[in-house]
Amino acid sequence: MPEPQAVTAVWVNVPEAHREEFRQWHNCEHSTDRLEGPGYVALHRYMRAGGDGRHNCLNVFEGESLETFNSPYYLKSRNNPTPWTRKCMAFLKETERSVGRLAASMGGRPRYDAPYLYTVHVDPPEGPGGEAEAIAWYQEEHFGRLFQVGGLLRARLFLRDEKLSSEKTEETQIQSMQAGARRLLAVYEMATLEPVGGPAWLEASAGTPRSAAMVKRLQRPVRERWWLDFAKWKTAYMESRLCFVGDSFVNGTGDPEYLGWPGRLCRAERARGHLLTCYNLGVRGATSRDILSGWEEEALRRLPEGMDGHLVFAFGANDTRIVEGELRVQPGKSIENTFQILRRAKALKPLLMVGPPPIGDEANNRRVAELSAALAALCREEDIPYLDVHAPLLHSGTWLKEAAAGDGAHPGAGGYGELAALVESWSAWRKWLD
C-alpha cells in the first residue's frame, strides 16, 4: 500500500458532558462521511495522555494526497453539515486544524494500529533555508536515532499547507476553528509511551552536535502524548487474503520466475495500493476430483473466521487429459465435482472462477473448450463470476508458443503474464478490489 502523502490533523477540546455523544457521532456518522470521499485512507482518533498542549482530543485523517482535502466531495461535505454534525461541532472548544503533506518518513505502516502517538508541533528555525534544514535533519538523523531507542513503530513529518489549513467553510464557522499555528507536525506511532522523555530518548534527540543545535533552533515546540481511542480504515486499504485454488497452471509450472499468474496478479495489485496476502494452492496434476477432496481444509487454514478472505478457483485442464486411453475425469463428473466445490465455497467466502487455459494439443484443446463452456454455464446458474481464458490465450500466440518450447502444456513468463492481465482487467475482479 502506498504511503499516505497527506494528513488533516484536528485538535479539539471535547467537554466531559458531551464526550459520549461526540464519540457516537464521530464513530457512526462523521468518520463514515469523510471516508466516503475520494483519496481518504483512514481516520485515527486519539485522547490525551499528557504533554504541553491544551487539547484533550486529536483526530488524524490520512489521505493519498493534498487533493483528498480539496476535492469537490470534501468541500461540499464541509459546507453542508448534517443536523447532528452542527449540534456536535457547536459544543467543541478551541478547535485547530492543520492540513499537511508528507515531508519525511521512516518505517513502514505498522501491521496494527499503533496504540499510542507522540506528536511534536513546531516551527522550523528562522531564516532562509531553515525549513529545508529541519526537514533534512528529521529524515537524515533524528528519526533514525529515535528508532534505536525502541518502542517506535513509524515516524513521519508533515509540512503545513497554508491555503488548505486556512480554508473557511460552514464547519469552520460553527466551530470557530483556527488554522494550526505551526508549520511542522512530527508524528511518532508508538507501541508504548515509556521511552518518550526518558534518558535514552533525550540522548537520541539531542546527543549529537547537529541534533543539539537543531533542537535549540526549533521554534515554539508543543510536545504531546496520546492514546488510541478509535480507528476506521477505508475498505480498499484493509488487508485481504486470497486463496488461488487449482492445478499446475495456478501453481505456475514452467515459469522461470516462479510467480505464475497469481503471483503476477497480486504484484500488480500491490502496485495499485491494495494490501493483499496471497496463497497459491495450485497442485500439479490436480483434477476436479482431487480439488474436491482437499480444497476446503487447505483454504480455511488460511482464511480463518472473521478475516476478509476471497477464493479464486481455476482448474479443469487435467480433467480433459487422456491417460492410458481414458479421460481422467468424464465431462459430466467434472461438472458435478465443480458444482459441489462452488456450492460449498459460496457458503463460506466470496469467490470467482477462472476457466482452464489451452494446452499444446489440438484434440485436447477442443475438449478444454467444451469443458470451459460447460463451466461457464454452471457458474451462470450459480451466479458466480466466470472468466473464459481459453479463447483469448489460444489466439494470443504467446501462450502456445511458450508451451511448445517447454513441456508442451505450460507456458513461460510471457504466457502467465498474459493470463494475469486478463484477470486484472476483468470487471468481476476489479469489483472485488476497487
Side-chain angles (χ1 to χ4, degrees):
M1 169 184 173
E3 180 85 354
Q5 296 298 303
V7 298
T8 290
V10 182
W11 295 263
V12 298
N13 273 321
V14 185
E16 182 65 33
H18 298 290
R19 195 161 293 178
E20 286 308 305
E21 183 174 11
F22 167 77
R23 281 196 173 107
Q24 185 179 359
W25 162 74
H26 208 256
N27 293 8
C28 301
E29 180 180 282
H30 187 61
S31 58
T32 300
D33 173 72
R34 289 295 191 258
L35 290 175
E36 286 286 351
Y40 266 89
V41 175
L43 157 72
H44 294 82
R45 184 178 69 239
Y46 299 89
M47 305 306 288
R48 183 174 183 79
D52 305 329
R54 58 195 174 96
H55 297 98
N56 61 20
C57 179
L58 170 64
N59 305 290
V60 180
F61 298 86
E62 300 193 41
E64 293 177 354
S65 70
L66 287 173
E67 288 304 309
T68 300
F69 309 115
N70 196 37
S71 72
Y73 173 92
Y74 181 67
L75 296 176
K76 181 179 180 181
S77 177
R78 294 190 71 212
N79 280 300
N80 295 274
T82 67
W84 200 11
T85 294
R86 287 181 178 274
K87 177 186 177 184
C88 292
M89 286 189 170
F91 60 60
L92 299 177
K93 307 295 184 183
E94 301 176 295
T95 305
E96 292 184 17
R97 174 176 174 272
S98 184
V99 181
R101 66 168 178 84
L102 186 68
S105 67
M106 183 167 290
R109 180 166 72 87
R111 61 186 179 87
Y112 55 86
D113 291 306
Y116 299 99
L117 203 68
Y118 175 60
T119 59
V120 180
H121 205 192
V122 68
D123 275 328
E126 295 179 344
E131 185 176 281
E133 188 179 350
I135 292 172
W137 170 70
Y138 274 101
Q139 185 67 70
E140 296 168 7
E141 180 167 297
H142 185 58
F143 285 165
R145 287 176 59 82
L146 291 183
F147 262 100
Q148 295 176 18
V149 177
L152 179 57
L153 302 174
R154 178 169 60 167
R156 293 181 291 175
L157 179 71
F158 295 92
L159 175 64
R160 184 180 65 191
D161 183 281
E162 300 291 348
K163 179 178 181 296
L164 296 182
S165 297
S166 303
E167 194 163 40
K168 300 298 183 183
T169 65
E170 183 69 16
E171 288 186 358
T172 62
Q173 299 300 320
I174 295 171
Q175 300 176 81
S176 300
M177 180 180 282
Q178 302 296 315
R182 291 161 178 80
R183 290 278 291 160
L184 299 175
L185 175 63
V187 178
Y188 306 90
E189 292 166 84
M190 308 292 298
T192 172
L193 290 173
E194 289 185 10
V196 177
W201 187 273
L202 296 177
E203 168 62 24
S205 298
T208 70
R210 182 184 183 186
S211 290
M214 180 56 67
V215 168
K216 289 181 180 179
R217 294 171 61 204
L218 292 173
Q219 305 291 307
R220 302 187 302 147
V222 176
R223 301 177 176 90
E224 297 176 282
R225 298 184 295 277
W226 310 90
W227 57 268
L228 180 65
D229 187 38
F230 177 72
K232 184 180 285 189
W233 287 83
K234 202 164 190 172
T235 304
Y237 295 96
M238 296 174 62
E239 181 182 7
S240 293
R241 294 189 182 189
L242 287 87
C243 282
F244 295 85
V245 181
D247 51 25
S248 57
F249 294 109
V250 170
N251 173 266
T253 301
D255 181 2
E257 298 175 16
Y258 295 92
L259 291 171
W261 65 265
R264 286 176 168 79
L265 179 63
C266 291
R267 181 177 63 184
E269 295 303 341
R270 181 74 181 212
R272 286 175 178 259
H274 297 294
L275 187 61
L276 305 174
T277 297
C278 300
Y279 298 100
N280 190 315
L281 303 184
V283 178
R284 190 167 188 179
T287 64
S288 62
R289 180 174 53 244
D290 300 320
I291 292 167
L292 174 61
S293 68
W295 77 267
E296 186 173 345
E297 180 181 1
E298 290 298 321
L300 291 186
R301 286 178 180 174
R302 295 157 176 85
L303 303 177
E305 186 176 353
M307 174 62 65
D308 181 40
H310 299 72
L311 293 162
V312 181
F313 291 94
F315 55 83
N318 286 315
D319 288 26
T320 68
R321 290 182 57 215
I322 295 177
V323 177
E324 297 181 353
E326 293 186 2
L327 279 175
R328 293 193 66 194
V329 182
Q330 292 294 324
K333 192 62 177 177
S334 293
I335 298 303
E336 181 183 336
N337 292 339
T338 304
F339 171 78
Q340 292 185 48
I341 292 167
L342 299 183
R343 179 61 66 90
R344 175 57 180 159
K346 189 164 65 169
L348 298 174
K349 297 289 182 183
L351 73 151
L352 303 173
M353 185 164 191
V354 176
I359 297 176
D361 175 271
E362 187 174 344
N364 202 154
N365 270 331
R366 286 196 295 270
R367 295 193 294 272
V368 173
E370 291 169 1
L371 179 59
S372 182
L375 292 173
L378 171 64
C379 287
R380 281 195 300 271
E381 292 174 5
E382 293 297 310
D383 195 27
I384 294 169
Y386 180 85
L387 179 65
D388 174 27
V389 299
H390 181 271
L393 293 177
L394 184 65
H395 298 103
S396 74
T398 301
W399 183 275
L400 292 181
K401 182 179 179 180
E402 289 188 348
D407 63 4
H410 300 95
Y416 283 119
E418 285 190 343
L419 204 164
L422 290 174
V423 179
E424 185 182 0
S425 61
W426 183 23
S427 60
W429 174 262
R430 293 262 56 88
K431 186 176 180 181
W432 262 9
L433 296 182
D434 298 339

